[in-house]
Amino acid sequence: AQTNLQDSYNKSMSLKEAETLALSTLKQVMEEKINSTNVEIGAVPIATGRFRIYSAAELEEVISRL
């Protein structure tokens, strides 16, 4: 999992690309199917500089891209 993240991540990727990479990597190593009750995503938006955890609806949107 860590190797996949290191190989696939680059500084110029968008937040959407990073979200998808993170969850797809997690999906590879989890025994359960990923859903909004067994994973969380957090981010630090540049605009605010403050950490926030995604709502269930936002998380479902990211999961739907997998």
Side-chain angles (χ1 to χ4, degrees):
Q2 185 174 0
T3 303
N4 183 48
L5 285 172
Q6 289 173 337
D7 292 344
S8 301
Y9 175 79
N10 70 60
K11 289 184 178 185
S12 64
M13 69 181 5
S14 69
L15 179 57
K16 270 189 164 183
E17 292 170 325
E19 292 166 345
T20 303
L21 172 61
L23 279 189
S24 64
T25 301
L26 188 58
K27 183 179 178 180
Q28 292 174 10
V29 298
M30 282 186 64
E31 292 180 14
E32 295 179 54
K33 184 176 179 181
I34 288 181
N35 60 52
S36 62
T37 60
N38 64 3
V39 296
E40 286 184 320
I41 295 180
V44 180
I46 293 172
T48 64
R50 299 184 66 114
F51 177 79
R52 70 177 197 84
I53 295 176
Y54 286 32
S55 69
E58 292 170 312
L59 185 54
E60 285 295 340
E61 192 272 322
V62 176
I63 291 170
S64 72
R65 294 195 309 249
L66 299 180

Coordinates of all heavy atoms in Angstrom, one line a residue:
A1 N 0.8 -1.2 0.0 CA 0.0 0.0 0.0 C 0.9 1.3 0.0 O 0.6 2.2 -0.8 CB -0.9 0.0 1.2
Q2 N 1.9 1.3 0.9 CA 2.7 2.4 0.9 C 3.5 2.6 -0.4 O 3.6 3.8 -0.9 CB 3.7 2.3 2.1 CG 4.5 3.5 2.3 CD 5.4 3.5 3.5 OE1 5.4 2.5 4.3 NE2 6.2 4.5 3.8
T3 N 3.9 1.5 -1.0 CA 4.7 1.6 -2.2 C 3.8 2.2 -3.3 O 4.2 3.0 -4.1 CB 5.2 0.2 -2.7 OG1 6.0 -0.3 -1.6 CG2 6.0 0.3 -3.9
N4 N 2.5 1.7 -3.4 CA 1.5 2.3 -4.3 C 1.4 3.8 -4.2 O 1.3 4.5 -5.2 CB 0.2 1.5 -4.2 CG -0.8 2.0 -5.3 OD1 -0.5 2.0 -6.4 ND2 -2.0 2.3 -4.8
L5 N 1.2 4.2 -3.0 CA 1.1 5.7 -2.7 C 2.3 6.4 -3.2 O 2.2 7.5 -3.8 CB 0.8 5.9 -1.2 CG -0.6 5.6 -0.8 CD1 -0.7 5.7 0.8 CD2 -1.6 6.5 -1.4
Q6 N 3.5 5.9 -2.8 CA 4.7 6.6 -3.2 C 4.9 6.6 -4.7 O 5.4 7.6 -5.2 CB 5.9 5.9 -2.5 CG 6.0 6.1 -1.0 CD 7.1 5.3 -0.4 OE1 7.5 4.3 -0.9 NE2 7.5 5.7 0.8
D7 N 4.6 5.5 -5.4 CA 4.8 5.5 -6.8 C 3.7 6.3 -7.6 O 4.0 6.9 -8.6 CB 4.6 4.0 -7.3 CG 5.8 3.2 -6.9 OD1 6.8 3.7 -6.4 OD2 5.7 1.9 -6.9
S8 N 2.5 6.4 -7.1 CA 1.4 7.1 -7.8 C 1.3 8.6 -7.4 O 0.7 9.3 -8.2 CB 0.1 6.4 -7.5 OG 0.2 5.0 -8.0
Y9 N 1.7 9.0 -6.3 CA 1.5 10.4 -5.8 C 2.5 11.3 -6.5 O 3.6 11.0 -6.7 CB 1.7 10.5 -4.3 CG 1.6 11.9 -3.8 CD1 0.4 12.5 -3.7 CD2 2.8 12.7 -3.6 CE1 0.3 13.9 -3.2 CE2 2.7 14.0 -3.2 CZ 1.5 14.6 -3.0 OH 1.4 15.9 -2.6
N10 N 2.0 12.5 -6.9 CA 2.9 13.6 -7.3 C 2.3 14.9 -6.8 O 1.1 15.0 -6.6 CB 3.1 13.6 -8.8 CG 1.9 14.0 -9.6 OD1 1.4 15.0 -9.5 ND2 1.5 13.1 -10.5
K11 N 3.1 15.9 -6.6 CA 2.7 17.1 -6.0 C 1.7 17.9 -6.8 O 1.0 18.8 -6.3 CB 3.9 18.0 -5.7 CG 4.8 17.5 -4.6 CD 5.9 18.5 -4.3 CE 6.7 18.0 -3.1 NZ 7.7 18.9 -2.7
S12 N 1.7 17.7 -8.1 CA 0.8 18.4 -9.0 C -0.6 17.8 -9.2 O -1.4 18.4 -9.9 CB 1.4 18.6 -10.4 OG 1.6 17.4 -11.0
M13 N -0.9 16.7 -8.5 CA -2.2 16.1 -8.6 C -3.3 16.9 -7.9 O -3.0 17.6 -7.0 CB -2.2 14.6 -8.2 CG -2.0 14.4 -6.7 SD -2.0 12.6 -6.2 CE -2.1 11.6 -7.6
S14 N -4.5 16.8 -8.5 CA -5.6 17.6 -7.9 C -6.1 16.9 -6.6 O -5.7 15.7 -6.3 CB -6.7 17.7 -8.8 OG -7.3 16.4 -9.0
L15 N -6.9 17.6 -5.8 CA -7.4 17.0 -4.6 C -8.3 15.8 -5.0 O -8.2 14.8 -4.3 CB -8.3 18.0 -3.8 CG -8.9 17.5 -2.6 CD1 -7.9 17.0 -1.6 CD2 -9.7 18.7 -1.9
K16 N -9.1 15.9 -6.1 CA -9.9 14.7 -6.5 C -9.0 13.5 -6.8 O -9.3 12.4 -6.4 CB -10.7 15.1 -7.7 CG -12.1 15.7 -7.4 CD -12.9 15.8 -8.7 CE -14.3 16.0 -8.4 NZ -15.2 16.0 -9.5
E17 N -7.9 13.7 -7.5 CA -7.0 12.6 -7.8 C -6.4 12.0 -6.6 O -6.3 10.8 -6.4 CB -5.9 13.1 -8.8 CG -6.4 13.5 -10.1 CD -5.3 14.2 -10.9 OE1 -4.5 15.0 -10.4 OE2 -5.3 14.0 -12.2
A18 N -6.0 12.9 -5.6 CA -5.5 12.4 -4.4 C -6.5 11.6 -3.5 O -6.1 10.6 -2.9 CB -4.9 13.6 -3.5
E19 N -7.7 12.1 -3.5 CA -8.8 11.4 -2.8 C -9.0 10.0 -3.4 O -9.0 9.0 -2.7 CB -10.1 12.1 -2.9 CG -10.2 13.4 -2.2 CD -11.4 14.2 -2.7 OE1 -12.0 13.9 -3.7 OE2 -11.7 15.2 -1.9
T20 N -9.0 9.9 -4.7 CA -9.2 8.6 -5.4 C -8.0 7.7 -5.2 O -8.2 6.5 -4.9 CB -9.4 8.9 -6.9 OG1 -10.6 9.7 -7.1 CG2 -9.7 7.6 -7.6
L21 N -6.8 8.2 -5.2 CA -5.6 7.4 -5.0 C -5.7 6.9 -3.6 O -5.4 5.7 -3.4 CB -4.4 8.3 -5.2 CG -3.1 7.6 -4.8 CD1 -2.8 6.3 -5.6 CD2 -1.9 8.6 -5.0
A22 N -6.0 7.7 -2.6 CA -6.0 7.2 -1.2 C -7.0 6.1 -1.0 O -6.7 5.1 -0.4 CB -6.3 8.4 -0.3
L23 N -8.2 6.3 -1.5 CA -9.2 5.3 -1.3 C -9.0 4.0 -2.1 O -9.3 2.9 -1.6 CB -10.6 5.9 -1.5 CG -11.3 6.7 -0.4 CD1 -12.7 7.0 -0.7 CD2 -11.2 6.0 0.9
S24 N -8.5 4.2 -3.3 CA -8.2 3.0 -4.1 C -7.1 2.2 -3.5 O -7.1 0.9 -3.5 CB -7.9 3.3 -5.5 OG -6.7 4.1 -5.6
T25 N -6.1 2.8 -2.9 CA -5.1 2.1 -2.2 C -5.6 1.4 -0.9 O -5.3 0.3 -0.6 CB -3.9 3.1 -1.8 OG1 -3.4 3.7 -3.0 CG2 -2.8 2.4 -1.1
L26 N -6.4 2.1 -0.2 CA -7.1 1.5 1.0 C -7.9 0.3 0.6 O -7.9 -0.7 1.3 CB -7.9 2.6 1.7 CG -8.5 2.2 3.1 CD1 -7.4 1.8 4.0 CD2 -9.3 3.4 3.6
K27 N -8.6 0.5 -0.5 CA -9.5 -0.6 -1.0 C -8.7 -1.9 -1.2 O -9.2 -3.0 -1.0 CB -10.2 -0.2 -2.3 CG -11.2 -1.2 -2.8 CD -11.8 -0.6 -4.1 CE -12.8 -1.6 -4.7 NZ -13.4 -1.0 -5.9
Q28 N -7.5 -1.8 -1.7 CA -6.6 -2.9 -2.0 C -6.2 -3.7 -0.8 O -6.0 -4.9 -0.9 CB -5.3 -2.5 -2.7 CG -5.5 -1.9 -4.1 CD -4.3 -1.3 -4.7 OE1 -3.2 -1.5 -4.1 NE2 -4.4 -0.6 -5.8
V29 N -6.2 -3.0 0.4 CA -5.7 -3.7 1.6 C -6.8 -4.0 2.6 O -6.5 -4.8 3.5 CB -4.5 -2.9 2.3 CG1 -3.4 -2.8 1.3 CG2 -5.0 -1.5 2.7
M30 N -8.0 -3.5 2.4 CA -9.1 -3.8 3.3 C -9.8 -5.1 3.0 O -10.0 -5.4 1.8 CB -10.1 -2.6 3.3 CG -9.6 -1.4 4.1 SD -10.9 -0.2 4.3 CE -12.2 -1.0 5.2
E31 N -10.1 -5.8 4.0 CA -10.9 -7.0 3.7 C -12.4 -6.7 3.5 O -13.0 -7.4 2.7 CB -10.8 -8.0 5.0 CG -9.4 -8.5 5.1 CD -9.2 -9.4 6.3 OE1 -10.3 -9.9 6.9 OE2 -8.1 -9.7 6.7
E32 N -12.9 -5.7 4.1 CA -14.3 -5.3 3.9 C -14.4 -4.4 2.7 O -13.4 -3.7 2.3 CB -14.8 -4.5 5.1 CG -14.9 -5.3 6.4 CD -15.4 -4.5 7.6 OE1 -16.4 -3.8 7.4 OE2 -14.7 -4.4 8.6
K33 N -15.6 -4.3 2.2 CA -15.9 -3.4 1.1 C -15.9 -2.0 1.7 O -16.4 -1.8 2.8 CB -17.2 -3.7 0.4 CG -17.5 -2.9 -0.7 CD -18.8 -3.3 -1.4 CE -19.1 -2.3 -2.6 NZ -20.3 -2.6 -3.2
I34 N -15.3 -1.0 1.0 CA -15.2 0.3 1.5 C -16.6 1.0 1.4 O -17.3 0.9 0.3 CB -14.2 1.2 0.6 CG1 -12.8 0.7 1.0 CG2 -14.4 2.6 0.9 CD1 -11.7 1.5 0.3
N35 N -17.0 1.6 2.5 CA -18.3 2.4 2.5 C -18.2 3.5 3.4 O -17.1 3.6 4.1 CB -19.5 1.5 2.8 CG -19.4 0.8 4.1 OD1 -19.2 1.5 5.1 ND2 -19.5 -0.5 4.2
S36 N -19.2 4.3 3.5 CA -19.1 5.5 4.3 C -19.1 5.3 5.8 O -18.9 6.2 6.6 CB -20.2 6.5 4.0 OG -21.4 6.0 4.2
T37 N -19.3 4.0 6.2 CA -19.3 3.7 7.7 C -18.0 3.1 8.2 O -17.8 3.0 9.4 CB -20.5 2.8 8.0 OG1 -20.3 1.5 7.3 CG2 -21.8 3.4 7.7
N38 N -17.1 2.7 7.2 CA -15.9 2.1 7.7 C -14.6 2.8 7.3 O -13.5 2.3 7.5 CB -15.8 0.6 7.3 CG -15.8 0.3 5.8 OD1 -15.8 1.2 5.0 ND2 -15.8 -0.9 5.5
V39 N -14.8 4.0 6.6 CA -13.6 4.8 6.3 C -14.0 6.3 6.5 O -15.2 6.6 6.5 CB -13.1 4.6 4.8 CG1 -12.6 3.2 4.6 CG2 -14.2 5.0 3.8
E40 N -13.0 7.1 6.7 CA -13.2 8.5 6.8 C -12.1 9.2 5.9 O -11.0 8.6 5.7 CB -13.0 9.0 8.2 CG -14.2 8.7 9.1 CD -14.0 9.3 10.5 OE1 -12.9 9.3 11.0 OE2 -15.0 9.8 11.0
I41 N -12.4 10.4 5.4 CA -11.4 11.2 4.7 C -11.4 12.5 5.3 O -12.4 13.1 5.7 CB -11.8 11.3 3.2 CG1 -11.7 10.0 2.5 CG2 -10.8 12.3 2.5 CD1 -12.1 10.2 1.0
G42 N -10.2 13.0 5.5 CA -10.0 14.4 6.0 C -9.1 15.1 5.0 O -8.3 14.5 4.3
A43 N -9.2 16.4 5.0 CA -8.3 17.2 4.1 C -8.0 18.6 4.8 O -8.8 19.0 5.7 CB -9.0 17.4 2.8
V44 N -7.0 19.2 4.3 CA -6.7 20.6 4.7 C -6.8 21.4 3.5 O -5.8 21.5 2.7 CB -5.3 20.7 5.4 CG1 -5.0 22.1 5.8 CG2 -5.1 19.7 6.5
P45 N -7.9 22.1 3.2 CA -8.0 22.9 2.1 C -7.1 24.1 2.1 O -6.9 24.7 3.2 CB -9.5 23.4 2.1 CG -10.2 22.4 3.0 CD -9.2 22.0 4.0
I46 N -6.5 24.4 1.0 CA -5.6 25.6 0.9 C -6.3 26.9 1.4 O -5.7 27.7 2.0 CB -5.0 25.7 -0.5 CG1 -4.1 24.5 -0.8 CG2 -4.2 27.0 -0.6 CD1 -3.6 24.4 -2.2
A47 N -7.5 27.0 0.9 CA -8.3 28.2 1.2 C -8.4 28.5 2.7 O -8.3 29.7 3.1 CB -9.7 28.2 0.6
T48 N -8.6 27.5 3.5 CA -8.8 27.7 5.0 C -7.6 27.4 5.8 O -7.4 27.9 6.9 CB -10.0 26.9 5.5 OG1 -9.7 25.5 5.3 CG2 -11.3 27.3 4.8
G49 N -6.8 26.4 5.3 CA -5.7 25.9 6.1 C -6.1 25.2 7.3 O -5.2 24.9 8.2
R50 N -7.3 24.8 7.4 CA -7.8 24.0 8.6 C -8.3 22.6 8.2 O -8.9 22.4 7.2 CB -9.0 24.8 9.2 CG -8.6 26.2 9.6 CD -9.8 26.9 10.3 NE -10.1 26.2 11.5 CZ -10.0 26.7 12.7 NH1 -9.6 27.9 12.9 NH2 -10.3 26.0 13.8
F51 N -7.9 21.7 9.0 CA -8.3 20.3 8.8 C -9.8 20.1 9.0 O -10.4 20.7 9.8 CB -7.6 19.4 9.8 CG -8.0 17.9 9.7 CD1 -7.4 17.1 8.7 CD2 -8.9 17.4 10.6 CE1 -7.8 15.8 8.6 CE2 -9.2 16.0 10.5 CZ -8.7 15.3 9.5
R52 N -10.4 19.3 8.1 CA -11.8 19.0 8.2 C -12.0 17.6 7.7 O -11.3 17.1 6.9 CB -12.7 19.9 7.4 CG -12.6 19.8 5.9 CD -13.6 20.7 5.2 NE -13.8 20.3 3.8 CZ -14.6 19.4 3.4 NH1 -15.4 18.8 4.2 NH2 -14.7 19.1 2.1
I53 N -13.0 16.9 8.3 CA -13.4 15.6 7.9 C -14.6 15.7 7.0 O -15.5 16.4 7.3 CB -13.7 14.7 9.2 CG1 -12.4 14.6 10.0 CG2 -14.3 13.4 8.8 CD1 -12.7 13.9 11.4
Y54 N -14.6 14.8 6.0 CA -15.7 14.9 5.0 C -17.0 14.4 5.6 O -17.0 13.5 6.4 CB -15.3 14.0 3.8 CG -14.2 14.5 2.9 CD1 -13.2 15.3 3.3 CD2 -14.3 14.2 1.5 CE1 -12.3 15.8 2.5 CE2 -13.3 14.7 0.7 CZ -12.3 15.5 1.2 OH -11.3 16.0 0.3
S55 N -18.1 14.9 5.1 CA -19.4 14.5 5.5 C -19.7 13.1 4.8 O -18.9 12.7 3.9 CB -20.5 15.5 5.0 OG -20.6 15.5 3.6
A56 N -20.7 12.4 5.2 CA -21.0 11.1 4.6 C -21.3 11.3 3.1 O -20.9 10.5 2.3 CB -22.2 10.5 5.4
A57 N -22.0 12.4 2.8 CA -22.3 12.6 1.3 C -21.1 12.8 0.5 O -21.0 12.3 -0.6 CB -23.3 13.8 1.2
E58 N -20.2 13.6 1.1 CA -18.9 13.9 0.3 C -18.1 12.6 0.2 O -17.5 12.3 -0.9 CB -18.1 14.9 1.1 CG -18.6 16.3 1.1 CD -17.9 17.2 2.0 OE1 -17.7 16.9 3.2 OE2 -17.6 18.4 1.6
L59 N -18.1 11.8 1.3 CA -17.4 10.5 1.2 C -18.0 9.6 0.2 O -17.3 8.9 -0.6 CB -17.4 9.9 2.6 CG -16.6 8.6 2.8 CD1 -15.2 8.8 2.4 CD2 -16.7 8.2 4.3
E60 N -19.3 9.5 0.1 CA -20.0 8.6 -0.8 C -19.6 9.1 -2.3 O -19.5 8.2 -3.2 CB -21.5 8.7 -0.6 CG -22.0 7.9 0.5 CD -21.8 6.4 0.4 OE1 -21.6 5.9 -0.7 OE2 -21.8 5.7 1.5
E61 N -19.5 10.4 -2.5 CA -19.1 10.9 -3.8 C -17.7 10.4 -4.2 O -17.5 10.0 -5.4 CB -19.2 12.4 -3.8 CG -19.1 13.0 -5.2 CD -17.7 13.3 -5.7 OE1 -16.9 13.7 -4.8 OE2 -17.4 13.1 -6.9
V62 N -16.8 10.4 -3.3 CA -15.5 9.9 -3.6 C -15.5 8.4 -3.8 O -14.9 7.9 -4.8 CB -14.5 10.3 -2.4 CG1 -13.1 9.7 -2.7 CG2 -14.4 11.8 -2.2
I63 N -16.2 7.7 -3.0 CA -16.3 6.2 -3.1 C -16.9 5.9 -4.5 O -16.5 4.9 -5.1 CB -17.1 5.6 -2.0 CG1 -16.3 5.7 -0.7 CG2 -17.4 4.2 -2.2 CD1 -17.1 5.4 0.6
S64 N -17.8 6.7 -4.9 CA -18.5 6.4 -6.2 C -17.5 6.5 -7.4 O -17.8 5.9 -8.5 CB -19.7 7.3 -6.5 OG -19.3 8.6 -6.7
R65 N -16.4 7.2 -7.2 CA -15.4 7.3 -8.3 C -14.5 6.1 -8.4 O -13.7 6.0 -9.4 CB -14.6 8.5 -8.1 CG -15.3 9.8 -8.2 CD -14.5 11.1 -8.3 NE -13.4 11.2 -7.3 CZ -13.4 12.1 -6.3 NH1 -14.4 13.0 -6.2 NH2 -12.4 12.1 -5.5
L66 N -14.5 5.2 -7.5 CA -13.6 4.0 -7.5 C -14.1 3.0 -8.5 O -15.2 2.8 -8.8 CB -13.5 3.4 -6.1 CG -13.0 4.2 -5.0 CD1 -12.9 3.4 -3.7 CD2 -11.6 4.7 -5.4

